[in-house]
Amino acid sequence: MNSQFKLYLCAAAISVLLLLSVAKGLDDMAQLSLQNQLTEIKRNTVKHGPTDAKLNHHYQPVSATPFDDNSTLALYFSWLAYQERSDQIQSQRFSQRAQDLYTAQLKLRPLDASLVVQRANEKWRSGGTFESTLADFHLAQELGHFERFTLMHTLTYFLAHWPQLSLDDKKTAIAYLLEHDKYAMKLWQYDSLLQKPVAGERACSIFKFNGITPYFCRR
């Protein structure tokens, strides 16, 4: 009897795995189709202008599986918000849609620091409050303190808003720069930051004060 029960249990487990595999495959196909669609829309936008690229902001992803991924669509709306920056109302609408999609994806992947960083950056670009954006960067640090993506974007935001930072956040930013070995970072990996107009200048000042002179600070 026990052997028969184990057999049934094993068969049920295999069936569930097969169903999940099929669902994952369908979701991957849907995401690939969406990515191709958005790539084509972006290409048309560059060629013909943004009026040909507007996707209805109520668009919903076609899949509804445990593997659903809203981040592809979120990146598109973020890009579209930038394209429409001359129209503040339209740009804000697209930006909010991107933020909502990142939030929806976080419900499926609550430990993904990169999603929180992307939402924080979207808030920053769209003129969100300092407090709300900073709260997202703090959450991203909790989830992925040693992840390079989190480190670089958080550091960029901290340096850009240096006068508004708390003492603890300033210490964190300085640690990100000076204790780079601790975060498995090489000096050249800061190059893209050092070339930024405000954040880069402040990073160079911190480096120079501590006797470190990366290439892009030698001016």
Side-chain angles (χ1 to χ4, degrees):
M1 187 69 179
N2 281 339
S3 299
Q4 193 174 17
F5 176 74
K6 286 178 182 178
L7 229 93
Y8 285 141
L9 194 62
C10 186
I14 291 171
S15 298
V16 170
L17 286 173
L18 283 172
L19 285 171
L20 287 173
S21 297
V22 170
K24 182 69 169 75
L26 290 172
D27 191 76
D28 287 345
M29 287 177 62
Q31 289 302 316
L32 182 60
S33 174
L34 178 60
Q35 287 173 17
N36 291 337
Q37 178 190 359
L38 299 183
T39 298
E40 184 61 28
I41 290 173
K42 286 184 179 183
R43 191 178 293 118
N44 288 336
T45 299
V46 172
K47 192 173 181 180
H48 302 294
T51 52
D52 293 331
K54 291 180 184 176
L55 194 64
N56 187 303
H57 70 283
H58 293 300
Y59 178 91
Q60 295 292 338
V62 292
S63 61
T65 74
F67 310 103
D68 209 4
D69 187 356
N70 298 295
S71 53
T72 299
L73 197 59
L75 285 170
Y76 170 72
F77 277 107
S78 176
W79 173 83
L80 199 54
Y82 177 76
Q83 291 292 316
E84 295 292 325
R85 61 193 180 279
S86 59
D87 183 341
Q88 189 174 3
I89 294 175
Q90 187 76 303
S91 181
Q92 285 287 346
R93 176 198 275 177
F94 287 134
S95 180
Q96 187 58 55
R97 183 76 176 109
Q99 292 174 49
D100 291 344
L101 285 163
Y102 285 130
T103 301
Q105 190 61 25
L106 275 165
K107 292 177 182 177
L108 298 173
R109 300 207 312 257
L111 301 180
D112 191 335
S114 66
L115 290 172
V116 185
V117 169
Q118 287 170 324
R119 186 176 65 182
N121 280 332
E122 189 57 40
K123 289 180 180 180
W124 184 12
R125 282 190 294 268
S126 65
T129 65
F130 171 74
E131 291 76 14
S132 176
T133 307
L134 184 67
D136 265 1
F137 278 113
H138 283 163
L139 175 58
Q141 286 178 302
E142 290 176 18
L143 297 175
H145 189 62
F146 287 90
E147 294 175 9
R148 182 171 177 263
F149 185 81
T150 301
L151 183 153
M152 289 301 295
H153 285 273
T154 303
L155 181 56
T156 301
Y157 186 76
F158 279 12
L159 289 170
H161 295 80
W162 190 261
Q164 296 168 268
L165 292 183
S166 67
L167 182 59
D168 284 342
D169 284 338
K170 287 180 177 177
K171 287 180 179 178
T172 298
I174 291 171
Y176 279 161
L177 289 172
L178 301 183
E179 300 176 31
H180 44 271
D181 289 340
K182 175 182 176 182
Y183 297 98
M185 293 284 289
K186 304 295 182 184
L187 274 181
W188 63 265
Q189 291 178 300
Y190 295 93
D191 285 354
S192 60
L193 167 65
L194 299 179
Q195 296 175 71
K196 295 182 186 297
V198 177
E201 291 165 12
R202 287 172 175 160
C204 282
S205 295
I206 293 170
F207 275 134
K208 287 178 180 178
F209 185 79
N210 288 276
I212 303 172
T213 52
Y215 175 79
F216 286 100
C217 294
R218 298 171 190 171
R219 301 178 192 175

